[in-house]
Amino acid sequence: MLILRLLLILAALAIVLLGGMYLFTNNRRYLNLAWQIARFVVFALLIFAVLFILERYVLIAWRIQI
């Protein structure tokens, strides 16, 4: 959980810095990189949520039935 929080903080910091760099340089490359980072973070959070739900409900219920 600590690693997930650290990754979220680093990703948010990178997105903010890349947005600022775009404002100063008007270079579209920085927006593209920020968008890629945001998509990766959303994808990673979805995978984490699915694994959390799997652990919380499916595996615990399966252990009770055995």
Side-chain angles (χ1 to χ4, degrees):
M1 200 59 133
L2 181 64
I3 293 173
L4 183 64
R5 288 182 190 160
L6 182 63
L7 284 175
L8 285 174
I9 291 170
L10 288 175
L13 183 64
I15 290 171
V16 167
L17 288 174
L18 286 169
M21 290 172 68
Y22 169 73
L23 290 175
F24 285 122
T25 63
N26 236 1
N27 193 346
R28 195 97 174 121
R29 179 178 47 159
Y30 297 122
L31 278 183
N32 290 336
L33 185 58
W35 177 243
Q36 286 178 348
I37 290 172
R39 284 190 318 199
F40 174 76
V41 167
V42 168
F43 182 70
L45 286 175
L46 286 174
I47 289 175
F48 179 76
V50 167
L51 289 176
F52 182 74
I53 290 171
L54 180 72
E55 177 192 17
R56 185 81 173 162
Y57 295 112
V58 176
L59 293 179
I60 291 175
W62 186 61
R63 189 183 328 158
I64 291 172
Q65 290 179 357
I66 291 178

